[in-house]
Amino acid sequence: MHRPPTLSIVALAILVYTTGCQPVVAPEDGPPPALPLSAGYILPPEGAAEGTCWGRALVPAIIQTVTEQVNRSPTVLNPDGSVMRAATYDTVVRQEILRERGEHAFEAVCENALTPELVGSLQRALQARGAYVGDITQRMDWPTRSALKTYQRTTGPDSDILSIDLARSLGLAAVDRATLD
């Protein structure tokens, strides 16, 4: 005996047929587009030197999981000292915040100072330290910013904005003589 198809099966067949005819768009190859460089810059904090530029880095929270045994009922002893009923414990798991999430402002190389020559020197400096494997493009492109953020994270802010401290330590920015001991 042949039964006619139900409405939901017909609707599903129409959906499959019509969507199957749509072209498939492949995702773009390569890295995601980078934010404009100015996205990480902020206004200088109060008291900052005139003409300095500042960046912002997020400082993640540090959370630890604590597991402890909590006594639910104590041991009950018989008059002769033997155990009538053993103690029972509950396992309690909780999280403690050791450091709140926050923001960190740091002095940065000004955006207008990131000339192609300076960016090329930055790429070569990072390449010499094994942090950058791309071509020397003299552009603050995604591979450069990614390498900068990874390298800078170990000693300074977790940011793809070039800090003035890192630029000085790499020999890319002048060191203020007044700060030398």
Side-chain angles (χ1 to χ4, degrees), residues 24-171:
V24 176
V25 178
E28 287 186 27
D29 290 339
L35 292 171
L37 193 59
S38 58
Y41 284 91
I42 60 171
L43 294 174
E46 192 172 318
E50 184 73 27
T52 59
C53 296
W54 291 78
R56 174 182 62 102
L58 297 178
V59 179
I62 297 177
I63 300 171
Q64 98 177 346
T65 301
V66 178
T67 304
E68 61 184 346
Q69 299 293 314
V70 177
N71 189 331
R72 188 168 34 136
S73 64
T75 302
V76 178
L77 301 175
N78 290 318
D80 65 355
S82 62
V83 175
M84 177 189 295
R85 187 178 59 224
T88 57
Y89 294 88
D90 289 331
T91 301
V92 177
V93 179
R94 69 178 189 285
Q95 293 188 332
E96 293 179 353
I97 298 175
L98 300 178
R99 180 181 71 198
E100 295 284 340
R101 178 187 176 278
E103 292 185 2
H104 169 69
F106 61 94
E107 189 174 356
V109 174
C110 293
E111 191 172 9
N112 61 358
L114 292 172
T115 63
E117 293 78 20
L118 179 68
V119 174
S121 294
L122 172 64
Q123 289 170 330
R124 283 187 287 281
L126 292 173
Q127 196 173 55
R129 289 158 180 81
Y132 178 71
V133 294
D135 295 329
I136 306 301
T137 62
Q138 296 188 331
R139 289 182 316 210
M140 193 58 108
D141 52 11
W142 183 84
T144 306
R145 290 174 71 169
S146 177
L148 171 61
K149 183 174 183 170
T150 301
Y151 185 79
Q152 188 167 243
R153 180 183 300 142
T154 61
T155 60
D158 186 2
S159 173
D160 60 355
I161 302 288
L162 179 59
S163 74
I164 196 74
D165 290 338
L166 180 62
R168 287 177 178 147
S169 72
L170 295 175

